[in-house]
Amino acid sequence: MNAINIKSLIIVSLLSAGGCHRAATGQVVAVVNGEEVSISELNGELQASGVSSEGGDKAAIHSRALQSIIDRKLLAQAARDRGIDKDPQYLQQQRRVDEQLMINMLAKQVTKNVPVPTGSDIDGYIAKHPEIFAQRTIYALNQIQFAAPADRSKLKTLEADHSLDAVAASLTRLSIPFTSQKGSIDTATTPSALTRQITSLPPTEPFILSSNGRVIVSVIIDKQVVPLGGDQARRLAGDLLRRDAVTEIATSQVKQARAAAKIEYQPGYAPAAVKK
């Protein structure tokens, strides 16, 4: 009796598997171990990569994009086989990616109707921001760059250094490898508040910026006024006006969401303004 049951289960399992077989037809361009790749997904891959098939070998471009999707799916399947999709660290990062994607799509929805700046809006913006346009300045920099140390407290030593040579000496004492390079700051593309902070420093005084795990220490060595005018200035002013409008909408959205939300903190984790 048991043998018959087991045999029956095997037959049912095989029939089920046959009934669920997926084929690369219609809107499905490939099947990877039972996982479908649709035309829509292929088009999304092309769009995300910024590759256009116009004026080129469309079949070859689509084939390369499809192979990229297949490679990704094979690696993802291998990761699932190892149970990575159940790992708490993966789940935390997946939630963060999902939330950021939803935020980006929300931003597109709520800002798609932001009006195009008028000519008078653009003229007013240009007049109000001479540091970006009429008095645009490009500052030449000497820089030192290094990987941020795991112990950030080591960088406190640099606060006593008032030249790039002194910074280099401190990094050498700390056994932190670094490289020297040239750089620049353009007031047309740098936030005005940051520009004011940097340019208010005494001559040869270093300033520190960090990004993507790298620390860059810079000193201003020269400057050149390069006014920005004409159509280029007007295009930039229009872009900046739209950016400011989008930022204002996003800030308002967060403010409204916080006002309507019920947020509870464990003792010791609340921001200072709401600690009781």
Side-chain angles (χ1 to χ4, degrees):
M1 188 69 176
N2 288 338
I4 295 173
N5 286 342
I6 292 172
K7 184 177 179 181
S8 299
L9 287 171
I10 292 172
I11 292 172
V12 169
S13 176
L14 289 172
L15 288 173
S16 299
C20 293
H21 177 71
R22 295 178 173 90
T25 60
Q27 294 295 306
V28 179
V29 295
V31 181
V32 186
N33 293 328
E35 188 175 354
E36 296 178 350
V37 181
S38 68
I39 291 177
S40 176
E41 187 173 358
L42 176 58
N43 289 335
E45 183 79 9
L46 290 166
Q47 184 178 4
S49 64
V51 174
S52 172
S53 57
E54 295 182 6
D57 187 340
K58 185 175 181 180
I61 292 170
H62 283 208
S63 178
R64 285 194 294 271
L66 179 56
Q67 293 311 308
S68 178
I69 295 173
I70 290 171
D71 288 346
R72 188 168 65 243
K73 288 191 180 297
L74 288 171
L75 289 172
Q77 289 170 4
R80 281 193 289 271
D81 289 343
R82 290 172 176 260
I84 290 176
D85 58 330
K86 303 296 191 298
D87 186 281
Q89 186 177 2
Y90 163 79
L91 295 172
Q92 289 172 6
Q93 293 188 32
Q94 182 189 45
R95 181 184 302 175
R96 182 175 182 178
V97 169
D98 287 345
E99 289 173 347
Q100 190 58 55
L101 177 59
M102 286 190 287
I103 289 169
N104 292 343
M105 296 185 73
L106 172 65
K108 287 183 179 180
Q109 279 191 7
V110 300
T111 60
K112 64 182 179 182
N113 294 322
V114 172
V116 176
T118 66
S120 60
D121 291 336
I122 290 174
D123 290 338
Y125 191 89
I126 291 174
K128 188 178 179 180
H129 295 278
E131 75 282 2
I132 299 176
F133 303 101
Q135 298 172 20
R136 172 203 181 193
T137 303
I138 298 177
Y139 293 91
L141 309 173
N142 278 342
Q143 297 178 317
I144 283 176
Q145 182 179 171
F146 56 93
D151 181 6
R152 291 293 186 109
S153 65
K154 288 184 176 181
L155 299 182
K156 293 286 289 183
T157 304
L158 305 184
E159 293 178 2
D161 297 332
H162 300 291
S163 70
L164 214 55
D165 287 341
V167 170
S170 292
L171 292 173
T172 301
R173 285 196 304 273
L174 294 168
S175 299
I176 297 176
F178 62 89
T179 58
S180 300
Q181 61 188 35
K182 299 291 185 181
S184 64
I185 287 180
D186 187 340
T187 60
T189 57
T190 305
S192 298
L194 178 58
T195 299
R196 287 193 296 270
Q197 185 179 359
I198 290 171
T199 55
S200 66
L201 294 171
T204 77
E205 183 71 19
F207 60 92
I208 300 176
L209 300 174
S210 60
S211 176
N212 298 323
R214 305 291 296 177
V215 178
I216 302 175
V217 186
S218 306
V219 168
I220 295 173
I221 56 172
D222 195 11
K223 69 176 183 178
Q224 183 180 8
V225 177
V226 185
L228 189 63
D231 291 341
Q232 186 180 6
R234 298 186 70 80
R235 283 195 299 271
L236 177 59
D239 290 342
L240 293 175
L241 276 165
R242 184 172 174 81
R243 183 201 65 186
D244 291 348
V246 169
T247 300
E248 185 177 348
I249 291 172
T251 302
S252 177
Q253 284 276 320
V254 172
K255 186 176 180 180
Q256 290 176 22
R258 278 188 169 273
K262 180 181 179 182
I263 304 173
E264 298 179 0
Y265 293 97
Q266 183 182 139
Y269 286 86
V274 297
K275 282 185 177 179
K276 297 181 179 179

